[in-house]
Each structure stands twice: as structure tokens, then as C-alpha cells.
């Protein structure tokens, strides 16, 4: 794999850390600005909204900018957002800094996925995307606990300074390692918007919202589940989250590996097992042994969806994947917000802290249904040249999916995907 993927992964590590570390620093931030914990929670929901809105918006505005240049601009915005957060004299300015960083998040992962896929051979693209997202999973395993510890001992502002420094490292890595094409990519807005006329794009985005949302229905409320139902001490939650993070890390790599071999079949199996695990956790969450056994598995099968879902959208975009890729990142965050909201509703309705698990199971099952329907449409239209039965899958042997104009999916007609594309 090219060294450029390392630069993308380092940047993803910084972005993932700043996204999730605020959850561990809410009491310190709330105390510093004399606001309530629910008010401080706006820093989380505001960030998610920034990803949903900012990712597609900045991608559209950057359609005439070479992708490497756009990645560098986004990392500059990320650094600026975290520095604003670090020095913010008022809560409102801290929220502004969070939203600035979130804008960079959505567009970076969308464009970065296209760049990562273009750095390798067609049959390795899902693995390349997964390696970039390894930075995000590593942030959950290492970045968030270390950032929380740092903020608790040296003040929450120190965490944002360190994250900004990580952004500088990522910026330098992209500048040095991501290759520059001989000419700027022809990423015109018209073709990028035109792909959204295709039903398969919307089916793929729906899979992302439902599949990833199922995980967040459980993850958002894991702390009260573990302390109130399983009987863990508050101090044990950190280790449970570490187990979940390890599962995410492993699942990310496995998801990329399997997606490069049989994308749609991988999604069918992953979503089916994820639904079963989430339904099972409704009962397993009531015992320590059940929780310890189930939490890492949910992490594995949960994040195993990411690379296949991202590649599915890019493949279906047929040569104009940049905006669709960014829209899928927004779909991940829309799934986060939707699942957390529904999970809160069922808890408030008196159904118990374990209720978000069956909500998540239903969402994953619905995602599986959408995937099966999408695959059936592929088979009916006969658009695949692989044995997988799903468009967009470069299966074993590296077969390419033929799209409109005879170009392989993910490549513009008459032009091969090249470094930096």
C-alpha cells in the first residue's frame, strides 16, 4: 500500500479524536463556562450537524480544485477549528470552532476515500479505503482515552492544542506523500450532481443511515446500560469502550478485505450478523459476562460495514464519485443523530435502557432489506461483470463493473484512475 495512505490515516486519526474526545470532556467544559451538561452536549450535536451540512457543501465548492489541494485546504480548516476551540473565551466561540472542524471532517473523508481508492489497483480499493479509516478507529482506541486523560489533568484546552498539532502532522504528510496529478481532475459539478438521479445511489445512502445508525443506537447509551443494567462500576466503562474500540479496529480491516472480494455478499452477511448481535445485546446487557462477550463483536461487525458502504456509493457514482462520497459521510452522521434520537425516545417512553438495542437491531435489519433489494436490482439490470451479483464490486480477479459509457465504475470515461485521483 502507498505511503500516501499513511498520511490520510494520520489525518483521519486527528479528525476522529476531535470528534469523539469531547464526550469525555463535557464536565470540564461545562464547569469552565458555567453551563449545564445538556448545553455542553450541543458541542456533540453541533459537530454532527456540521458534518452533515459542511461535507457536501465544501465538496461542491471545491469541485474545481485538485483533490490534493482540497485535502490540504480541509486540513488547514481543521487545524484552524481546533485552535479556535482551544483559545475560545466563550462557549459560543467554542461551538463555532467545533463546527469549523466538522466542516473539514465531512469533506475530508469523502474526498479522501476517492483519493485512497485511486492510489491502488481496482481490486484493492475497499482495502485502501479501510486503511484510511483505520485512523478513525485508532482514534477510538487510543486518541479519545489519551485525549480525555490529557484534558482531565492539564485542562480541556490542552487536548485541542494537541489535536491541532496532529492536524499539522497530517497536513505535512499529505503535502509530502500524496502524489500530484499532471493536470487538475475534471471534477465538474454537473456530473457530480447527476449521479443523484440514480436510484442505486439513494439506496446505498439509505443503507448507510440505517446500518451505521443501528450501531449508534446502542453506543450512545452504552454507559447507562453498563452501569444500570450490567452492574459495572463507572470506572469499568473505560475498559468496555476500549474493547469496543478494538472491535472497531479489527472490523474495519476485515470489512475492507471482504469487500474487495465480494462487496454485496459481504454486506448481506455483515448486516445480518450485526442485527442479530444488537437484538441479542438487549438480553446480554443485563450481565457482565454477556456484555464483555458481545460488545467487541458489535464493534467488529459494526465497523466492518464502513468500507463496503463507502465503496458501494463510490462505485455507483460511475466516474463522478466525489460528491456522492461526501454525501455518504454525511449519511453516517445522519444515522448517528437519528439513532441517538430514537434511542432517547424509547428510553424516555419507559421501555428501559436496553431498548436502544432492539431499535438498533431493527435499523440493521432494515439496512439488510435495502441491501437485498439493491442487489436484486443489480441482477435484474445485469450491470455487473463479476460473480458477486452486486454492481460496483471488483471481486476476486479484479473484474470491473461496466458503467455508462463503458467506463469502469469509479473512473471517468476514457480515463484511468491514477495516483491522487
Amino acid at each position: 500500500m502507498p505511503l500516501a495512505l499513511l498520511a490520510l490515516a494520520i489525518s483521519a486519526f486527528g479528525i476522529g479524536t476531535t470528534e469523539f474526545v469531547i464526550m469525555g470532556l463535557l464536565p470540564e467544559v461545562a464547569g469552565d463556562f458555567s453551563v449545564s451538561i445538556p448545553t455542553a452536549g450541543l458541542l456533540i450535536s453541533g459537530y454532527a450537524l456540521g458534518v452533515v451540512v459542511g461535507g457536501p457543501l465544501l465538496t461542491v465548492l471545491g469541485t474545481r480544485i485538485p483533490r490534493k489541494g482540497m485535502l490540504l485546504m480541509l486540513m488547514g480548516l481543521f487545524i484552524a477549528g481546533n485552535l479556535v476551540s482551544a483559545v475560545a473565551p466563550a462557549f459560543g466561540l467554542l461551538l463555532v470552532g467545533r463546527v469549523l472542524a466538522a466542516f473539514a471532517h465531512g469533506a475530508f473523508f469523502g474526498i479522501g476515500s476517492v483519493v485512497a481508492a485511486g492510489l491502488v489497483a481496482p481490486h484493492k480499493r475497499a482495502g485502501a479505503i479501510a486503511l484510511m479509516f483505520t485512523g478513525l478507529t485508532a482514534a477510538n482506541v487510543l486518541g479519545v482515552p489519551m485525549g480525555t486523560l490529557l484534558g482531565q489533568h492539564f485542562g480541556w484546552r490542552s487536548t485541542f492544542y494537541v489535536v491541532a498539532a496532529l492536524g499539522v502532522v497530517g497536513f505535512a504528510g499529505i503535502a509530502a506523500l500524496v502524489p500530484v496529478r499532471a493536470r487538475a481532475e475534471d471534477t465538474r459539478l454537473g456530473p457530480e450532481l447527476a449521479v443523484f438521479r440514480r436510484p442505486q445511489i439513494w439506496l446505498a445512502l439509505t443503507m448507510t443511515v440505517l446500518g451505521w445508525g443501528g450501531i449508534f443506537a446502542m453506543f450512545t447509551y452504552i454507559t447507562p446500560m453498563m452501569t444500570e443494567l450490567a452492574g459495572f462500576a463507572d470506572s469499568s466503562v473505560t475498559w468496555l469502550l476500549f474493547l469496543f474500540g478494538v472491535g472497531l479496529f479489527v472490523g474495519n480491516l476485515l470489512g475492507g478485505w471482504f469487500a474487495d472480494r465480494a462487496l454485496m455478499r459481504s454486506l448481506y452477511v455483515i448486516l445480518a450478523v450485526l442485527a442479530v448481535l444488537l437484538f441479542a445485546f438487549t438480553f446480554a446487557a443485563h450481565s457482565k459476562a454477556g456484555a464483555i462477550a458481545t460488545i467487541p463483536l458489535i464493534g467488529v461487525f459494526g465497523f466492518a460495514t464502513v468500507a463496503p458502504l463507502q465503496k458501494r456509493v463510490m462505485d455507483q457514482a460511475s466516474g463522478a464519485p466525489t460528491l456522492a462520497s461526501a454525501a455518504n459521510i454525511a449519511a453516517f452522521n445522519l444515522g448517528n443523530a437519528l439513532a441517538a434520537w430514537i434511542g432517547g425516545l424509547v428510553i424516555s417512553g419507559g421501555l428501559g435502557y436496553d431498548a436502544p438495542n432492539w431499535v438498533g437491531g431493527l435499523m440493521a435489519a432494515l439496512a439488510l432489506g435495502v441491501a437485498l433489494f439493491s442487489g436484486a436490482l443489480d441482477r435484474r439490470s445485469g450491470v455487473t461483470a463479476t460473480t458477486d451479483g452486486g454492481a460496483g464490486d471488483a471481486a476476486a480477479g479484479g473484474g470491473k463493473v461496466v458503467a455508462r459509457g463503458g467506463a469502469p465504475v469509479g473512473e471517468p470515461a476514457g480515463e484511468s484512475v491514477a495516483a491522487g485521483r
Side-chain angles (χ1 to χ4, degrees), residues 137 140-141 240-255 294-305:
T137 58
N140 283 277
V141 178
L240 294 171
L241 293 178
F242 176 78
L243 288 177
F244 185 72
V246 171
L248 297 182
F249 186 87
V250 174
N252 178 54
L253 296 178
L254 289 177
T294 311
I295 285 174
L297 290 175
I298 294 176
V300 169
F301 284 90
F303 221 91
T305 63

Side-chain angles (χ1 to χ4, degrees), residues 186-196 198 317-321:
D186 187 16
T187 310
R188 292 169 295 173
L189 182 57
E192 293 286 340
L193 290 173
V195 301
F196 289 94
R198 305 174 190 174
S318 297

Side-chain angles (χ1 to χ4, degrees), residues 124-176:
K124 294 183 179 180
R125 286 176 184 162
I129 295 169
L131 282 177
M132 183 190 73
F133 275 95
T134 295
L136 187 61
T137 58
N140 283 277
V141 178
L142 299 174
V144 172
M146 293 176 65
T148 301
L149 188 65
L150 180 70
Q152 290 173 342
H153 284 79
F154 299 99
W156 62 267
R157 296 179 189 273
S158 65
T159 300
F160 286 101
Y161 279 120
V162 170
V163 172
L166 285 173
V168 173
V169 175
F171 182 97
I174 292 170

Side-chain angles (χ1 to χ4, degrees), residues 219-243:
F219 182 58
T220 301
Y221 302 100
I222 189 171
T223 297
M225 264 190 273
M226 293 300 91
T227 56
E228 299 294 329
L229 300 181
F232 283 103
D234 291 344
S235 58
S236 299
V237 174
T238 300
W239 293 105
L240 294 171
L241 293 178
F242 176 78
L243 288 177

Side-chain angles (χ1 to χ4, degrees), residues 289 332 412:
F332 279 112

